[in-house]
Amino acid sequence: MVAESPDKPMIQLRRLYRNFGATQAVHDISFEVAAGQVFGYIGPNGAGKTTSMRILATLDIPSYGDALVDGFSVINDPDRVRQRLGFMPDSFGTYPDMNCIEYLDFFARSYGILGRNRTKALRHTLSYTGLDKIAEKPIRGLSKGMRQRLCLGRAMIHDPAVLILDEPANGLDPRARIELRHMIRGLAADGKTLLVSSHILTELGEMCDAIGIIERGQLIVSGSVAEIKAKLRPHIDVLVQLLGGGERLEGWLENVAEVSHIQASDRTVRFQLGAPDPIRQVQLLKAIVDAEFQVLEFSTESRSLEDVFLQITTGAVQ
C-alpha cells in the first residue's frame, strides 16, 4: 500500500452530533487526524468515545454533522469508507470452533479478497500479529492477549488506510500491552492512520502523536501531548540536587525573574521555571554552576497524561 501524504487528513469529524432521546452522546465534535498519525481518544466511561468511533466505522449514523474517512462521508459513501477502514471494537464476536486462520480467512473472503491475494493477506496478517505459530489453534483456547491480536488481524486483513481501535489494551498484561504498542507504531510507520481509545493513559502518552479528551459528549481539548501540557501549565518544575548549600541557592534564585515557588533544603531545591524553553534551562544551569554551586543533578519533572486528564475532566457522566 502506498503511504498517503502526511498532510492529508484521513479522519475528519465535522460538527458531529449523536442524540439518544434527550441524551446527547456526542455534541458538536470536530477534529482531524493526518495520514500516518496515531490519535489517542481519551475520556471517562460514557463520554461518547465509542459512539463517535462507531459512527466512523459506519455502524451508526450521526444525528447531525458528518464524519469522513479518506475524504469519503460515512453518510453518503459508507461502502467506500468500509473499504478504507478497519474497526477493532472493545468486544468482538468469535466462533469458538474455528481456528485462527479459518477466522481470518472468513473475513478476508467477506472483503472479497480472492486467490493469491487472500493467501498473501493471511500470511502477512498472521505474521504481523504473531499468530502464525498458532494459526491452527482453536479460538476457544486463546488467551486474552492472543484474542486481541486476532481482533487486530481481523481489522487489518484487507489492508485499510485507517484503523479504529476501541480499548485494544483492555485486560492485557504488561508484556502484551508493550507488544501491542509496538504493533500500533509499526502500522503508523507504514503510513496507516490510527484512532485509539484507551483508559491506560501511560500507553497513549507513549505511542500517540496527538490526543483528544472528551467528556459528556464534548471535545474539551485536542493537540499533541506537549502542546496540551504547555497550554495547561506554562511552566516546568525543576529539581536541583546539591552537595550542600541549598538555602544559599534559594536566595540566589530569588533574583532570577522566571523562577517562583522555591522550596529548599540543604541538598535539594525545587522551583518552577516560567520559561520552558530547553535553551533557557541550559542557560540557568550554567549560571548556577558558574556561581560555584556544587550541582549533582538538574532535572525537570514532567507532567503525566494522567495529571492532564484529571485537571481537564470533572468525572461527570451523562
Side-chain angles (χ1 to χ4, degrees), residues 169-196:
N170 186 32
L172 300 187
D173 61 54
R175 174 176 288 278
R177 290 204 305 269
I178 292 169
E179 292 170 347
L180 178 65
R181 185 172 73 232
H182 289 163
M183 283 189 278
I184 289 172
R185 286 310 315 177
L187 289 166
D190 288 340
K192 298 189 184 300
T193 305
L194 296 100
L195 178 66
V196 185

PDB file of all heavy atoms in Angstrom, residues 169-196:
ATOM      1  N   ALA A 169      -6.045  -2.369  24.456  1.00  0.00           N
ATOM      2  CA  ALA A 169      -5.177  -2.908  25.508  1.00  0.00           C
ATOM      3  C   ALA A 169      -5.948  -3.342  26.741  1.00  0.00           C
ATOM      4  O   ALA A 169      -5.339  -3.741  27.738  1.00  0.00           O
ATOM      5  CB  ALA A 169      -4.125  -1.871  25.899  1.00  0.00           C
ATOM      6  N   ASN A 170      -7.271  -3.300  26.680  1.00  0.00           N
ATOM      7  CA  ASN A 170      -8.088  -3.637  27.847  1.00  0.00           C
ATOM      8  C   ASN A 170      -7.860  -5.089  28.282  1.00  0.00           C
ATOM      9  O   ASN A 170      -8.018  -6.023  27.498  1.00  0.00           O
ATOM     10  CB  ASN A 170      -9.569  -3.419  27.518  1.00  0.00           C
ATOM     11  CG  ASN A 170     -10.447  -3.603  28.733  1.00  0.00           C
ATOM     12  OD1 ASN A 170     -10.053  -3.322  29.859  1.00  0.00           O
ATOM     13  ND2 ASN A 170     -11.661  -4.073  28.509  1.00  0.00           N
ATOM     14  N   GLY A 171      -7.476  -5.284  29.533  1.00  0.00           N
ATOM     15  CA  GLY A 171      -7.309  -6.620  30.094  1.00  0.00           C
ATOM     16  C   GLY A 171      -6.001  -7.306  29.756  1.00  0.00           C
ATOM     17  O   GLY A 171      -5.813  -8.470  30.106  1.00  0.00           O
ATOM     18  N   LEU A 172      -5.078  -6.599  29.100  1.00  0.00           N
ATOM     19  CA  LEU A 172      -3.813  -7.224  28.715  1.00  0.00           C
ATOM     20  C   LEU A 172      -2.774  -7.086  29.820  1.00  0.00           C
ATOM     21  O   LEU A 172      -2.765  -6.103  30.576  1.00  0.00           O
ATOM     22  CB  LEU A 172      -3.271  -6.590  27.433  1.00  0.00           C
ATOM     23  CG  LEU A 172      -4.144  -6.677  26.176  1.00  0.00           C
ATOM     24  CD1 LEU A 172      -3.388  -6.144  24.974  1.00  0.00           C
ATOM     25  CD2 LEU A 172      -4.601  -8.116  25.928  1.00  0.00           C
ATOM     26  N   ASP A 173      -1.868  -8.066  29.908  1.00  0.00           N
ATOM     27  CA  ASP A 173      -0.773  -7.972  30.863  1.00  0.00           C
ATOM     28  C   ASP A 173       0.280  -7.000  30.325  1.00  0.00           C
ATOM     29  O   ASP A 173       0.235  -6.600  29.147  1.00  0.00           O
ATOM     30  CB  ASP A 173      -0.162  -9.346  31.141  1.00  0.00           C
ATOM     31  CG  ASP A 173       0.425  -9.997  29.896  1.00  0.00           C
ATOM     32  OD1 ASP A 173       1.262  -9.368  29.215  1.00  0.00           O
ATOM     33  OD2 ASP A 173       0.054 -11.154  29.602  1.00  0.00           O
ATOM     34  N   PRO A 174       1.249  -6.574  31.144  1.00  0.00           N
ATOM     35  CA  PRO A 174       2.217  -5.565  30.704  1.00  0.00           C
ATOM     36  C   PRO A 174       2.970  -5.929  29.426  1.00  0.00           C
ATOM     37  O   PRO A 174       3.157  -5.073  28.545  1.00  0.00           O
ATOM     38  CB  PRO A 174       3.171  -5.451  31.904  1.00  0.00           C
ATOM     39  CG  PRO A 174       2.319  -5.816  33.079  1.00  0.00           C
ATOM     40  CD  PRO A 174       1.393  -6.881  32.581  1.00  0.00           C
ATOM     41  N   ARG A 175       3.419  -7.169  29.296  1.00  0.00           N
ATOM     42  CA  ARG A 175       4.158  -7.556  28.085  1.00  0.00           C
ATOM     43  C   ARG A 175       3.263  -7.455  26.852  1.00  0.00           C
ATOM     44  O   ARG A 175       3.681  -6.954  25.814  1.00  0.00           O
ATOM     45  CB  ARG A 175       4.714  -8.971  28.214  1.00  0.00           C
ATOM     46  CG  ARG A 175       5.371  -9.492  26.934  1.00  0.00           C
ATOM     47  CD  ARG A 175       5.976 -10.847  27.125  1.00  0.00           C
ATOM     48  NE  ARG A 175       7.186 -10.764  27.952  1.00  0.00           N
ATOM     49  CZ  ARG A 175       8.385 -10.434  27.472  1.00  0.00           C
ATOM     50  NH1 ARG A 175       8.542 -10.151  26.187  1.00  0.00           N
ATOM     51  NH2 ARG A 175       9.430 -10.393  28.270  1.00  0.00           N
ATOM     52  N   ALA A 176       2.022  -7.928  26.980  1.00  0.00           N
ATOM     53  CA  ALA A 176       1.095  -7.875  25.843  1.00  0.00           C
ATOM     54  C   ALA A 176       0.798  -6.438  25.446  1.00  0.00           C
ATOM     55  O   ALA A 176       0.674  -6.128  24.256  1.00  0.00           O
ATOM     56  CB  ALA A 176      -0.194  -8.620  26.179  1.00  0.00           C
ATOM     57  N   ARG A 177       0.711  -5.529  26.436  1.00  0.00           N
ATOM     58  CA  ARG A 177       0.468  -4.117  26.119  1.00  0.00           C
ATOM     59  C   ARG A 177       1.648  -3.512  25.379  1.00  0.00           C
ATOM     60  O   ARG A 177       1.476  -2.744  24.429  1.00  0.00           O
ATOM     61  CB  ARG A 177       0.186  -3.321  27.398  1.00  0.00           C
ATOM     62  CG  ARG A 177      -1.148  -3.638  28.047  1.00  0.00           C
ATOM     63  CD  ARG A 177      -1.634  -2.472  28.903  1.00  0.00           C
ATOM     64  NE  ARG A 177      -0.648  -2.074  29.902  1.00  0.00           N
ATOM     65  CZ  ARG A 177      -0.584  -2.560  31.128  1.00  0.00           C
ATOM     66  NH1 ARG A 177      -1.440  -3.501  31.510  1.00  0.00           N
ATOM     67  NH2 ARG A 177       0.317  -2.125  31.974  1.00  0.00           N
ATOM     68  N   ILE A 178       2.860  -3.847  25.822  1.00  0.00           N
ATOM     69  CA  ILE A 178       4.058  -3.324  25.143  1.00  0.00           C
ATOM     70  C   ILE A 178       4.118  -3.825  23.701  1.00  0.00           C
ATOM     71  O   ILE A 178       4.403  -3.064  22.765  1.00  0.00           O
ATOM     72  CB  ILE A 178       5.324  -3.734  25.919  1.00  0.00           C
ATOM     73  CG1 ILE A 178       5.375  -3.013  27.278  1.00  0.00           C
ATOM     74  CG2 ILE A 178       6.584  -3.424  25.105  1.00  0.00           C
ATOM     75  CD1 ILE A 178       6.435  -3.531  28.213  1.00  0.00           C
ATOM     76  N   GLU A 179       3.842  -5.108  23.510  1.00  0.00           N
ATOM     77  CA  GLU A 179       3.877  -5.672  22.167  1.00  0.00           C
ATOM     78  C   GLU A 179       2.800  -5.050  21.286  1.00  0.00           C
ATOM     79  O   GLU A 179       3.044  -4.775  20.103  1.00  0.00           O
ATOM     80  CB  GLU A 179       3.704  -7.184  22.249  1.00  0.00           C
ATOM     81  CG  GLU A 179       4.900  -7.889  22.889  1.00  0.00           C
ATOM     82  CD  GLU A 179       4.639  -9.358  23.191  1.00  0.00           C
ATOM     83  OE1 GLU A 179       3.450  -9.763  23.125  1.00  0.00           O
ATOM     84  OE2 GLU A 179       5.606 -10.084  23.486  1.00  0.00           O
ATOM     85  N   LEU A 180       1.616  -4.804  21.846  1.00  0.00           N
ATOM     86  CA  LEU A 180       0.550  -4.161  21.082  1.00  0.00           C
ATOM     87  C   LEU A 180       0.951  -2.744  20.699  1.00  0.00           C
ATOM     88  O   LEU A 180       0.700  -2.298  19.571  1.00  0.00           O
ATOM     89  CB  LEU A 180      -0.735  -4.147  21.901  1.00  0.00           C
ATOM     90  CG  LEU A 180      -1.937  -3.458  21.244  1.00  0.00           C
ATOM     91  CD1 LEU A 180      -2.371  -4.214  19.987  1.00  0.00           C
ATOM     92  CD2 LEU A 180      -3.098  -3.337  22.221  1.00  0.00           C
ATOM     93  N   ARG A 181       1.592  -2.039  21.632  1.00  0.00           N
ATOM     94  CA  ARG A 181       2.035  -0.675  21.335  1.00  0.00           C
ATOM     95  C   ARG A 181       3.021  -0.659  20.176  1.00  0.00           C
ATOM     96  O   ARG A 181       2.950   0.194  19.292  1.00  0.00           O
ATOM     97  CB  ARG A 181       2.675  -0.057  22.585  1.00  0.00           C
ATOM     98  CG  ARG A 181       3.068   1.409  22.401  1.00  0.00           C
ATOM     99  CD  ARG A 181       3.516   2.011  23.712  1.00  0.00           C
ATOM    100  NE  ARG A 181       4.821   1.538  24.123  1.00  0.00           N
ATOM    101  CZ  ARG A 181       5.095   1.025  25.313  1.00  0.00           C
ATOM    102  NH1 ARG A 181       4.147   0.890  26.205  1.00  0.00           N
ATOM    103  NH2 ARG A 181       6.315   0.641  25.617  1.00  0.00           N
ATOM    104  N   HIS A 182       3.939  -1.621  20.149  1.00  0.00           N
ATOM    105  CA  HIS A 182       4.902  -1.705  19.046  1.00  0.00           C
ATOM    106  C   HIS A 182       4.199  -1.999  17.726  1.00  0.00           C
ATOM    107  O   HIS A 182       4.581  -1.447  16.679  1.00  0.00           O
ATOM    108  CB  HIS A 182       5.941  -2.782  19.346  1.00  0.00           C
ATOM    109  CG  HIS A 182       6.887  -2.406  20.443  1.00  0.00           C
ATOM    110  ND1 HIS A 182       7.679  -3.323  21.103  1.00  0.00           N
ATOM    111  CD2 HIS A 182       7.171  -1.208  21.020  1.00  0.00           C
ATOM    112  CE1 HIS A 182       8.400  -2.711  22.028  1.00  0.00           C
ATOM    113  NE2 HIS A 182       8.094  -1.429  21.992  1.00  0.00           N
ATOM    114  N   MET A 183       3.173  -2.845  17.753  1.00  0.00           N
ATOM    115  CA  MET A 183       2.431  -3.135  16.529  1.00  0.00           C
ATOM    116  C   MET A 183       1.713  -1.884  16.013  1.00  0.00           C
ATOM    117  O   MET A 183       1.699  -1.605  14.801  1.00  0.00           O
ATOM    118  CB  MET A 183       1.433  -4.268  16.770  1.00  0.00           C
ATOM    119  CG  MET A 183       2.065  -5.648  16.809  1.00  0.00           C
ATOM    120  SD  MET A 183       0.832  -6.986  16.833  1.00  0.00           S
ATOM    121  CE  MET A 183       0.414  -7.012  18.579  1.00  0.00           C
ATOM    122  N   ILE A 184       1.135  -1.120  16.930  1.00  0.00           N
ATOM    123  CA  ILE A 184       0.421   0.097  16.531  1.00  0.00           C
ATOM    124  C   ILE A 184       1.383   1.107  15.920  1.00  0.00           C
ATOM    125  O   ILE A 184       1.110   1.706  14.869  1.00  0.00           O
ATOM    126  CB  ILE A 184      -0.328   0.695  17.739  1.00  0.00           C
ATOM    127  CG1 ILE A 184      -1.509  -0.208  18.102  1.00  0.00           C
ATOM    128  CG2 ILE A 184      -0.803   2.115  17.452  1.00  0.00           C
ATOM    129  CD1 ILE A 184      -2.222   0.167  19.384  1.00  0.00           C
ATOM    130  N   ARG A 185       2.547   1.308  16.556  1.00  0.00           N
ATOM    131  CA  ARG A 185       3.522   2.243  15.998  1.00  0.00           C
ATOM    132  C   ARG A 185       4.058   1.725  14.668  1.00  0.00           C
ATOM    133  O   ARG A 185       4.347   2.508  13.760  1.00  0.00           O
ATOM    134  CB  ARG A 185       4.687   2.441  16.974  1.00  0.00           C
ATOM    135  CG  ARG A 185       4.387   3.291  18.189  1.00  0.00           C
ATOM    136  CD  ARG A 185       3.734   4.635  17.915  1.00  0.00           C
ATOM    137  NE  ARG A 185       4.328   5.375  16.819  1.00  0.00           N
ATOM    138  CZ  ARG A 185       3.878   6.543  16.384  1.00  0.00           C
ATOM    139  NH1 ARG A 185       2.820   7.093  16.945  1.00  0.00           N
ATOM    140  NH2 ARG A 185       4.453   7.170  15.387  1.00  0.00           N
ATOM    141  N   GLY A 186       4.174   0.419  14.507  1.00  0.00           N
ATOM    142  CA  GLY A 186       4.618  -0.141  13.243  1.00  0.00           C
ATOM    143  C   GLY A 186       3.621   0.119  12.132  1.00  0.00           C
ATOM    144  O   GLY A 186       4.001   0.422  10.990  1.00  0.00           O
ATOM    145  N   LEU A 187       2.339   0.012  12.440  1.00  0.00           N
ATOM    146  CA  LEU A 187       1.310   0.305  11.446  1.00  0.00           C
ATOM    147  C   LEU A 187       1.357   1.772  11.032  1.00  0.00           C
ATOM    148  O   LEU A 187       1.199   2.105   9.850  1.00  0.00           O
ATOM    149  CB  LEU A 187      -0.076  -0.046  12.011  1.00  0.00           C
ATOM    150  CG  LEU A 187      -0.362  -1.539  12.171  1.00  0.00           C
ATOM    151  CD1 LEU A 187      -1.593  -1.754  13.043  1.00  0.00           C
ATOM    152  CD2 LEU A 187      -0.552  -2.206  10.811  1.00  0.00           C
ATOM    153  N   ALA A 188       1.579   2.664  11.999  1.00  0.00           N
ATOM    154  CA  ALA A 188       1.690   4.083  11.671  1.00  0.00           C
ATOM    155  C   ALA A 188       2.919   4.351  10.807  1.00  0.00           C
ATOM    156  O   ALA A 188       2.874   5.168   9.880  1.00  0.00           O
ATOM    157  CB  ALA A 188       1.745   4.915  12.950  1.00  0.00           C
ATOM    158  N   ALA A 189       4.023   3.660  11.096  1.00  0.00           N
ATOM    159  CA  ALA A 189       5.236   3.828  10.296  1.00  0.00           C
ATOM    160  C   ALA A 189       5.016   3.380   8.851  1.00  0.00           C
ATOM    161  O   ALA A 189       5.673   3.877   7.928  1.00  0.00           O
ATOM    162  CB  ALA A 189       6.385   3.045  10.925  1.00  0.00           C
ATOM    163  N   ASP A 190       4.070   2.462   8.654  1.00  0.00           N
ATOM    164  CA  ASP A 190       3.724   2.006   7.301  1.00  0.00           C
ATOM    165  C   ASP A 190       2.768   2.959   6.603  1.00  0.00           C
ATOM    166  O   ASP A 190       2.326   2.686   5.481  1.00  0.00           O
ATOM    167  CB  ASP A 190       3.093   0.615   7.354  1.00  0.00           C
ATOM    168  CG  ASP A 190       4.110  -0.471   7.694  1.00  0.00           C
ATOM    169  OD1 ASP A 190       5.317  -0.222   7.505  1.00  0.00           O
ATOM    170  OD2 ASP A 190       3.701  -1.554   8.146  1.00  0.00           O
ATOM    171  N   GLY A 191       2.418   4.060   7.242  1.00  0.00           N
ATOM    172  CA  GLY A 191       1.562   5.060   6.627  1.00  0.00           C
ATOM    173  C   GLY A 191       0.107   4.989   7.011  1.00  0.00           C
ATOM    174  O   GLY A 191      -0.710   5.775   6.518  1.00  0.00           O
ATOM    175  N   LYS A 192      -0.256   4.061   7.890  1.00  0.00           N
ATOM    176  CA  LYS A 192      -1.652   3.943   8.277  1.00  0.00           C
ATOM    177  C   LYS A 192      -1.994   4.975   9.359  1.00  0.00           C
ATOM    178  O   LYS A 192      -1.137   5.388  10.139  1.00  0.00           O
ATOM    179  CB  LYS A 192      -1.951   2.528   8.768  1.00  0.00           C
ATOM    180  CG  LYS A 192      -1.725   1.467   7.684  1.00  0.00           C
ATOM    181  CD  LYS A 192      -2.228   0.120   8.103  1.00  0.00           C
ATOM    182  CE  LYS A 192      -1.897  -0.928   7.051  1.00  0.00           C
ATOM    183  NZ  LYS A 192      -2.500  -0.627   5.736  1.00  0.00           N
ATOM    184  N   THR A 193      -3.246   5.361   9.386  1.00  0.00           N
ATOM    185  CA  THR A 193      -3.745   6.327  10.356  1.00  0.00           C
ATOM    186  C   THR A 193      -4.561   5.579  11.401  1.00  0.00           C
ATOM    187  O   THR A 193      -5.403   4.749  11.055  1.00  0.00           O
ATOM    188  CB  THR A 193      -4.627   7.368   9.653  1.00  0.00           C
ATOM    189  OG1 THR A 193      -3.890   7.961   8.585  1.00  0.00           O
ATOM    190  CG2 THR A 193      -5.072   8.450  10.621  1.00  0.00           C
ATOM    191  N   LEU A 194      -4.296   5.862  12.683  1.00  0.00           N
ATOM    192  CA  LEU A 194      -4.964   5.110  13.748  1.00  0.00           C
ATOM    193  C   LEU A 194      -5.622   6.040  14.747  1.00  0.00           C
ATOM    194  O   LEU A 194      -5.011   7.022  15.200  1.00  0.00           O
ATOM    195  CB  LEU A 194      -3.971   4.201  14.482  1.00  0.00           C
ATOM    196  CG  LEU A 194      -3.347   3.085  13.642  1.00  0.00           C
ATOM    197  CD1 LEU A 194      -1.945   3.486  13.198  1.00  0.00           C
ATOM    198  CD2 LEU A 194      -3.286   1.774  14.406  1.00  0.00           C
ATOM    199  N   LEU A 195      -6.866   5.717  15.088  1.00  0.00           N
ATOM    200  CA  LEU A 195      -7.590   6.365  16.173  1.00  0.00           C
ATOM    201  C   LEU A 195      -7.744   5.319  17.268  1.00  0.00           C
ATOM    202  O   LEU A 195      -8.367   4.272  17.056  1.00  0.00           O
ATOM    203  CB  LEU A 195      -8.954   6.855  15.691  1.00  0.00           C
ATOM    204  CG  LEU A 195      -9.863   7.509  16.730  1.00  0.00           C
ATOM    205  CD1 LEU A 195      -9.249   8.816  17.225  1.00  0.00           C
ATOM    206  CD2 LEU A 195     -11.244   7.777  16.142  1.00  0.00           C
ATOM    207  N   VAL A 196      -7.163   5.580  18.450  1.00  0.00           N
ATOM    208  CA  VAL A 196      -7.087   4.578  19.519  1.00  0.00           C
ATOM    209  C   VAL A 196      -7.686   5.154  20.792  1.00  0.00           C
ATOM    210  O   VAL A 196      -7.275   6.229  21.246  1.00  0.00           O
ATOM    211  CB  VAL A 196      -5.624   4.161  19.788  1.00  0.00           C
ATOM    212  CG1 VAL A 196      -5.573   3.045  20.815  1.00  0.00           C
ATOM    213  CG2 VAL A 196      -4.925   3.743  18.503  1.00  0.00           C
TER     214      VAL A 196
END
